[in-house]
């Protein structure tokens, strides 16, 4: 008996299935406005359940569980389910001012506790 034939390749762009609804790569940064009105444009790369909570911070990440503090932290929850391809504009809080155009800065997005972040 010969093995079954593989399925045909997809003919259109399809969202990647996710066993864990929260996994690295579920969000991508597609835009950034830094300065006095810092905001970030995110796109969902997988279906994400409503009320999923993320933390956004420009604080530096040194080693597991050790952050360089002082640059702010924003807790952001999706108000509704986000289907793959959904775009979200997130205004960063007044305490977070990204300096992406000056000397450079980073923006980390993670879920869970700061001591054991699950980066997305």
């Amino acid at each position: 008996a010969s093995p079954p034939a593989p399925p045909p390749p997809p003919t259109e762009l399809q969202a990647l299935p996710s066993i864990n609804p929260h996994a690295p790569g579920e969000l991508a940064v597609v835009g950034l406005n830094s300065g006095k009105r810092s905001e970030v444009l995110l796109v969902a790369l997988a279906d994400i359940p409503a009320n999923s909570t993320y933390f956004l911070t420009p604080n530096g990440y040194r080693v597991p569980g050790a952050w360089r503090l002082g640059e702010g932290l924003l807790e952001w929850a999706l108000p509704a389910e986000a289907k793959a391809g959904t775009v979200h504009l997130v205004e960063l809080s007044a305490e977070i001012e990204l300096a992406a155009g000056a000397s450079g800065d980073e923006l980390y997005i993670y879920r869970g506790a700061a001591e054991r972040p699950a980066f997305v």
Side-chain angles (χ1 to χ4, degrees):
S2 58
T11 56
E12 60 186 56
L13 183 62
Q14 297 175 349
L16 297 174
S18 177
I19 296 170
N20 174 0
H22 303 294
E26 67 190 14
L27 288 173
V29 175
V30 294
L32 178 67
N33 181 27
S34 64
K36 296 200 180 290
R37 183 176 176 203
S38 295
E39 52 195 10
V40 62
L41 196 59
L42 303 172
V43 63
L45 299 178
D47 294 345
I48 303 173
N51 301 312
S52 295
T53 301
Y54 298 88
F55 298 93
L56 293 84
T57 183
N59 288 333
Y61 190 69
R62 298 181 189 186
V63 295
W67 293 88
R68 185 186 72 241
L69 302 176
E71 297 186 68
L73 176 70
L74 173 70
E75 182 175 345
W76 175 66
L78 281 168
E81 178 184 19
K83 293 289 188 187
T86 305
V87 177
H88 300 274
L89 178 65
V90 180
E91 288 188 38
L92 302 178
S93 62
E95 297 83 36
I96 298 177
E97 187 172 319
L98 294 174
S103 61
D105 211 342
E106 66 274 338
L107 181 67
Y108 289 99
I109 304 172
Y110 67 92
R111 294 182 46 77
E115 298 80 28
R116 293 181 49 141
F119 294 106
V120 297

